[in-house]
Amino acid sequence: MNQKKKVKLLKKTSRSFFTYSLIAMLLSVVALYFITVYIIKDETKESLNSAAFRIEKLIEKDGTLINVYPIINTEKVFALKVEKIKDTLLYDLAEEEIEPYTELTKYKEIHGNVYKISVRTKALELHDVLQAIILSLIIFLAVFSSLYYLNKKKIESVWKPFFDNLKKIKEFSVQSNQSINFEDTNIEEFSELNTEIKTLTDKVIADYENLKHFTEDISHEIQTPLAIIQAKIDNSFDENQISEKQYSLLIDISNNARRLATLNKKLILLAKIENQQFKSSDRINFTEVLKKSIENFDGLSELPILIKEMNHIEIYFDEYLARIIADNLLSNAIKYTPTDGKITIESTNNQFIISNTGYESIKNPDKLYNRFYKEHITKKSLGLGLAIVKKICDSFGHSIHYSFDGNMHIFKLTFK
Amino acid sequence: MKILIAEDEIILQESIVKFLKRDAHICETASDYHEAVSKISIYEYDLILLDINLITGSGLDLLKLIKREGKKIPIIIISANNSLDDKIEGLDLGADDYLTKPFHLTELNSRIKAVMRRGKYDGDTNINFNEIKINTEAIQAYVNNKSIQLTKKEYDLLVYFITNKNRVLSKEVIAEHLWGDNIDAVDNFDFIYVHINHLRKKLTEVAANYIKTVYRIGYKFTDEDM
């Protein structure tokens, strides 16, 4: 699945608000400029038209030709021409410089004579308009910035309960058995969200507790009858009148009761690892744990256990689980080594390698860590040892790797 | 020795009583929490076997009660719960040992004797059987007052034999006592024979003869003729 790039909510909302507002503002400034220019030009044209009209009326009345430089100019011409309006530059006597003017020229036939009437007015200078608009833009920006800042503060305060509660959810741990307590908020959606999350987490806690109790109850319910079977058998061993045949029958029952008890214990251990009920992480010396484990196996088999290298491995781990890893890997090696084979053990800085003689590689290495997987049906194995090792490694971030090289099965455990 | 067995499973309770009585212990039983509380407050016991899951209450609460009253009674917890936390809690509260169900009665027996030997209860830290003497503090065995060199497993084996004398011990039971859950690594327990032989060789001829082979089943440590 493609993960989308993550942006903070507040950044995202304020950033888009900022961008859109800026674009809108620039567009409106451009529009404002053109509209202003259009309106001014229109107004100028109208006032020039009305001035020309009045001059026309004066000529009609008594034929007076008014000439006021540079705004009015009337003269007699010979031909009628099309009326036109244009911008022009003229010398302004008052200001003593050349100024832009807008000039309207009309041709009119009055009492048989053709007159050319020109009226002019000072043209609006565009840079003045621009200046005014830029000034207003600056005012806009100032207002906008303060609004943006206020809005940001407001949003932050509105979203605060959300972020506070998000922090609480992050800190939530199902093992702690502590329900989440959210701060009350007056925003309806947040309040609903909190209620839903609380319901959900309470359910998770309850389920987790149930599961924990279930495994504990199962343990009790299975171990007790097994204890009774075992006690009954042990007592009958002491009764001399039982025959040898009955004896071996009882031993079979006893062995299978023990197998069942071991199976039960291992399944519960797996469940507990899955439920993450082991959380202690002390600094332990794995090599010492390993030595104790090797010592305990002493005499159980005739197989030589060769220690190649024994460096100290200091790691943060649960000591009980470390011992289970060592025991299970050793037990596995002993179980599958031919009587003329050997077992070698090596521990370096952060690796523990155990290898044992074998004739051929495991056929299904990918299934090696599955529960109840058995490579040899003939072996009296529960098929849980390696599954437990793998599960422990996974939940503590260590890794285990199997390979077959030089007639040796090699398990390499790399600590985090 | 007077022992109180606080266990709510009646059949298991009866089996334990039957087994312990053969060693001439006086056994009393309590089938629930309240019975256990009242018996402990009225009578004196040399040892209490305490189940954690008693129908009407928790064995751990009972343990707290006993310790609060300052009674110096050895206590062994027997529990169906294999959880390490319970084990640690029980031992922290002052229990002397913790045995997980199912267990062999011979294992229970050797745990009881080990607890009683502890200096804390002024018991005899030595184990004696005719010419064999074991100093459990020094972890050293003697035959006719001459020390013998045993490996750890051989030593454990000898102690286990003597504490369960006159009882038949199957190869499986012996293996389980010595190697615990690790016996899963092997398919059969015939190799026990090798260890027994090593032990026999280190004892005197007379002492070696105490370890009697029970054909196809196991061994019995006894000075009686079979």
Side-chain angles (χ1 to χ4, degrees):
Chain A
M1 218 172 79
N2 267 336
Q3 286 252 312
K4 282 191 178 165
K5 202 176 153 253
K6 302 287 179 279
V7 191
K8 290 242 188 255
L9 177 81
L10 289 183
K11 214 177 203 176
K12 175 130 187 161
T13 45
S14 55
R15 191 191 279 166
S16 54
F17 172 73
F18 189 78
T19 319
Y20 292 132
S21 307
L22 213 61
I23 292 171
M25 206 188 295
L26 285 174
L27 286 176
S28 53
V29 163
V30 172
L32 188 64
Y33 172 78
F34 284 107
I35 290 165
T36 314
V37 168
Y38 174 79
I39 289 171
I40 289 168
K41 282 198 168 168
D42 202 53
E43 279 299 311
T44 313
K45 198 177 163 190
E46 262 177 40
S47 74
L48 286 175
N49 259 321
S50 86
F53 181 74
R54 281 190 200 108
I55 292 163
E56 223 174 88
K57 289 289 158 203
L58 273 175
I59 297 170
E60 228 167 73
K61 207 171 135 193
D62 52 13
T64 322
L65 291 181
I66 306 162
N67 271 312
V68 181
Y69 185 80
I71 53 167
I72 303 165
N73 183 43
T74 33
E75 58 184 305
K76 245 186 205 169
V77 288
F78 302 104
L80 274 173
K81 279 187 190 164
V82 193
E83 164 189 333
K84 67 174 177 189
I85 187 159
K86 65 164 188 184
D87 285 336
T88 180
L89 290 171
L90 288 170
Y91 186 76
D92 190 325
L93 287 168
E95 307 220 355
E96 296 184 328
E97 59 182 323
I98 292 172
E99 291 275 324
Y101 281 84
T102 305
E103 180 189 80
L104 173 74
T105 311
K106 273 184 141 178
Y107 295 88
K108 206 82 193 182
E109 202 187 325
I110 305 165
H111 308 308
N113 293 320
V114 178
Y115 296 91
K116 178 189 172 193
I117 305 162
S118 296
V119 276
R120 300 185 194 101
T121 180
K122 249 199 189 154
L124 188 82
E125 286 177 73
L126 286 182
H127 64 88
D128 289 340
V129 178
L130 215 52
Q131 247 171 23
I133 282 172
I134 285 169
L135 185 69
S136 58
L137 180 68
I138 289 166
I139 295 166
F140 273 175
L141 271 174
V143 172
F144 170 74
S145 303
S146 43
L147 274 179
Y148 172 76
Y149 181 74
L150 284 174
N151 184 51
K152 204 179 150 200
K153 284 279 152 212
K154 181 70 195 163
I155 286 177
E156 271 171 10
S157 79
V158 165
W159 284 94
K160 192 178 177 289
F162 176 81
F163 290 113
D164 287 350
N165 292 341
L166 187 66
K167 200 172 151 233
K168 284 189 180 164
I169 295 169
K170 276 186 193 160
E171 284 162 0
F172 171 74
S173 152
V174 74
Q175 282 116 312
S176 72
N177 201 4
Q178 295 256 313
S179 166
I180 292 193
N181 280 317
F182 292 118
E183 264 154 49
D184 199 17
T185 159
N186 55 3
I187 296 169
E188 200 180 330
E189 284 84 351
F190 287 168
S191 177
E192 274 175 36
L193 185 71
N194 291 353
T195 315
E196 290 307 309
I197 289 173
K198 193 163 165 49
T199 316
L200 218 61
T201 49
D202 284 351
K203 174 101 177 70
V204 168
I205 290 173
D207 285 354
Y208 177 75
E209 282 301 305
N210 270 341
L211 196 67
K212 236 169 74 178
H213 284 135
F214 178 73
T215 47
E216 276 156 22
D217 290 348
I218 283 273
S219 157
H220 184 246
E221 293 309 319
I222 293 177
Q223 303 295 82
T224 305
L226 287 173
I228 293 170
I229 294 172
Q230 198 59 67
K232 287 269 170 193
I233 294 169
D234 287 353
N235 265 331
S236 39
F237 279 170
D238 273 340
E239 284 156 21
N240 293 324
Q241 63 268 36
I242 63 167
S243 71
E244 192 202 306
K245 211 173 161 188
Q246 286 167 319
Y247 233 124
S248 70
L249 186 79
L250 288 172
I251 282 174
D252 280 347
I253 297 174
S254 168
N255 285 347
N256 282 290
R258 195 195 62 239
R259 239 180 112 188
L260 209 53
T262 314
L263 175 69
N264 190 32
K265 258 196 256 176
K266 291 193 170 176
L267 285 175
I268 288 162
L269 177 65
L270 268 174
K272 281 186 174 171
I273 300 164
E274 271 171 10
N275 295 346
Q276 301 182 320
Q277 273 169 263
F278 294 96
K279 37 188 189 281
S280 78
S281 207
D282 302 326
R283 192 152 181 80
I284 62 154
N285 187 338
F286 184 77
T287 321
E288 287 305 314
V289 174
L290 187 60
K291 277 182 190 160
K292 273 187 214 154
S293 178
I294 295 170
E295 194 185 298
N296 197 260
F297 274 97
D298 178 45
L300 191 58
S301 87
E302 302 270 282
L303 294 167
I305 298 178
L306 310 173
I307 294 164
K308 266 202 207 159
E309 206 181 337
M310 219 34 159
N311 283 344
H312 279 272
I313 303 179
E314 293 240 337
I315 41 164
Y316 284 97
F317 202 6
D318 184 298
E319 187 161 357
Y320 176 69
L321 295 182
R323 180 63 188 266
I324 285 173
I325 284 190
D327 281 352
N328 284 8
L329 287 175
L330 264 166
S331 177
N332 184 70
I334 291 172
K335 206 177 297 176
Y336 296 105
T337 309
T339 43
D340 56 347
K342 62 170 184 186
I343 295 165
T344 61
I345 282 171
E346 199 181 334
S347 77
T348 58
N349 297 332
N350 71 334
Q351 274 190 336
F352 162 55
I353 303 161
I354 178 165
S355 17
N356 66 290
T357 314
Y359 299 121
E360 54 180 352
S361 175
I362 297 280
K363 285 184 205 84
N364 298 303
D366 49 325
K367 288 187 187 155
L368 194 57
Y369 305 109
N370 288 2
R371 290 173 189 197
F372 304 112
Y373 173 73
K374 285 171 198 176
E375 184 82 0
H376 307 277
I377 350 158
T378 46
K379 284 278 172 192
K380 240 203 297 180
S381 157
L382 289 171
L384 285 175
L386 290 179
I388 289 172
V389 171
K390 176 82 173 140
K391 192 66 83 186
I392 296 173
C393 286
D394 286 353
S395 66
F396 279 81
H398 309 310
S399 69
I400 182 149
H401 178 257
Y402 165 81
S403 59
F404 186 78
D405 185 32
N407 277 341
M408 296 291 270
H409 296 289
I410 303 161
F411 284 94
K412 191 191 278 178
L413 207 162
T414 310
F415 292 105
K416 186 172 67 172
Chain B
M1 223 165 72
K2 198 171 163 192
I3 301 171
L4 176 70
I5 298 136
E7 163 65 63
D8 60 358
E9 284 288 333
I10 306 298
I11 313 176
L12 185 60
Q13 191 193 83
E14 284 168 354
S15 295
I16 295 171
V17 170
K18 189 177 171 190
F19 186 89
L20 294 176
K21 272 190 174 164
R22 288 192 66 230
D23 274 359
H25 295 303
I26 300 158
C27 298
E28 281 199 30
T29 57
S31 306
D32 63 39
Y33 180 80
H34 302 295
E35 197 183 348
V37 170
S38 66
K39 285 206 170 168
I40 290 166
S41 62
I42 301 168
Y43 308 107
E44 292 289 323
Y45 294 98
D46 299 311
L47 183 113
I48 299 171
L49 293 183
L50 188 58
D51 182 11
I52 286 195
N53 292 289
L54 288 169
I55 309 175
T56 46
S58 159
L60 291 176
D61 289 338
L62 199 62
L63 185 57
K64 283 179 207 162
L65 193 76
I66 297 167
K67 292 295 162 188
R68 202 163 49 228
E69 288 181 5
K71 291 196 177 178
K72 206 174 153 193
I73 314 172
I75 294 164
I76 295 176
I77 291 176
I78 43 176
S79 167
N81 194 345
N82 188 31
S83 125
L84 193 68
D85 293 344
D86 272 13
K87 207 174 273 186
I88 291 168
E89 193 184 352
L91 297 178
D92 278 352
L93 286 175
D96 296 277
D97 207 345
Y98 190 106
L99 200 55
T100 310
K101 290 179 194 174
F103 48 80
H104 287 292
L105 293 176
T106 45
E107 184 66 35
L108 175 67
N109 191 30
S110 73
R111 300 282 187 106
I112 290 174
K113 288 186 177 154
V115 166
M116 295 314 295
R117 277 199 302 271
R118 284 190 196 163
K120 196 169 150 189
Y121 300 111
D122 311 320
D124 188 358
T125 54
N126 292 320
I127 300 170
N128 294 298
F129 187 88
N130 298 343
E131 63 268 58
I132 303 171
K133 192 183 129 195
I134 300 170
N135 179 342
T136 56
E137 279 175 321
I139 316 177
Q140 178 64 53
Y142 302 87
V143 183
N144 293 324
N145 291 320
K146 256 177 69 187
S147 68
I148 50 170
Q149 298 310 312
L150 300 176
T151 65
K152 188 170 180 300
K153 298 286 174 192
E154 286 160 358
Y155 171 85
D156 287 346
L157 185 60
L158 186 61
V159 172
Y160 194 56
F161 266 139
I162 299 176
T163 50
N164 286 299
K165 63 185 177 223
N166 299 326
R167 296 184 191 274
V168 175
L169 301 172
S170 69
K171 287 173 289 192
E172 289 78 2
V173 165
I174 294 171
E176 213 177 322
H177 174 74
L178 295 181
W179 287 281
D181 287 345
N182 290 340
I183 53 168
D184 283 352
V186 292
D187 286 342
N188 72 69
F189 306 110
D190 293 340
F191 69 95
I192 290 292
Y193 171 75
V194 180
H195 294 278
I196 303 277
N197 257 8
H198 284 155
L199 179 62
R200 275 178 177 151
K201 276 179 199 155
K202 289 180 182 177
L203 300 172
T204 58
E205 202 180 320
V206 182
N209 213 25
Y210 296 146
I211 307 172
K212 306 263 198 299
T213 306
V214 182
Y215 181 63
R216 286 184 62 187
I217 292 149
Y219 301 90
K220 187 174 180 176
F221 195 88
T222 181
D223 53 1
E224 294 159 16
D225 285 329
M226 277 174 75

